[in-house]
């Protein structure tokens, strides 16, 4: 029984460590998002949406719409205006991979 318990615990720890090792690093451009949306996309303020776990395609479209003026918000437009399509895709993938809390 002890061997089974040790094997089970060891496997769980290895799976947990592997999951953490595979988590994508935050893109450099995400530093501007942290103030409102949190480091992992889990905003603590109800006014700012949680980005963690959001579908990448949705986040990508919203950022492009802010950048291109189709969606109006002075703060988001200022942050998004300098983003390239590749940076937007990278940000969207990063936040999609985060766990919502």
């Amino acid at each position: 029984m002890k061997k089974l318990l040790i094997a089970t615990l060891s496997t769980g720890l290895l799976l947990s460590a592997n999951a953490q090792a595979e988590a994508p690093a935050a893109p450099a451009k995400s530093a501007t998002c942290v103030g409102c949306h949190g480091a992992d996309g889990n905003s603590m303020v109800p006014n700012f949406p949680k980005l963690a776990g959001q579908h990448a395609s949705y986040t990508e479209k919203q950022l492009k719409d802010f950048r291109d003026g189709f969606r109006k918000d002075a703060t988001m437009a200022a942050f998004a205006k300098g983003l390239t399509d590749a940076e937007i895709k990278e940000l969207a993938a990063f936040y999609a991979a985060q766990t919502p809390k």
Side-chain angles (χ1 to χ4, degrees):
M1 186 67 164
K2 285 183 183 179
K3 288 181 182 179
L4 178 61
L5 179 61
I6 291 171
T8 303
L9 290 173
S10 297
T11 303
L13 291 173
L14 288 174
L15 291 175
S16 176
N18 285 339
Q20 290 174 353
E22 294 174 15
K29 292 287 183 166
S30 70
T32 58
C33 309
V34 172
C36 298
H37 299 286
D40 62 353
N42 285 293
S43 173
M44 301 299 271
V45 181
N47 295 11
F48 306 120
K50 291 187 178 194
L51 303 177
Q54 186 60 262
H55 294 281
S57 59
Y58 176 80
T59 303
E60 190 174 341
K61 181 181 181 337
Q62 300 316 305
L63 285 171
K64 286 180 179 179
D65 284 353
F66 282 124
R67 179 192 66 190
D68 300 337
F70 295 115
R71 190 164 176 194
K72 307 292 185 198
D73 181 275
T75 303
M76 281 303 302
F79 286 125
K81 77 176 179 182
L83 295 174
T84 66
D85 285 350
E87 290 168 335
I88 288 174
K89 187 177 261 330
E90 186 179 22
L91 286 166
F94 170 73
Y95 286 116
Q98 304 308 302
T99 302
K101 296 177 186 168

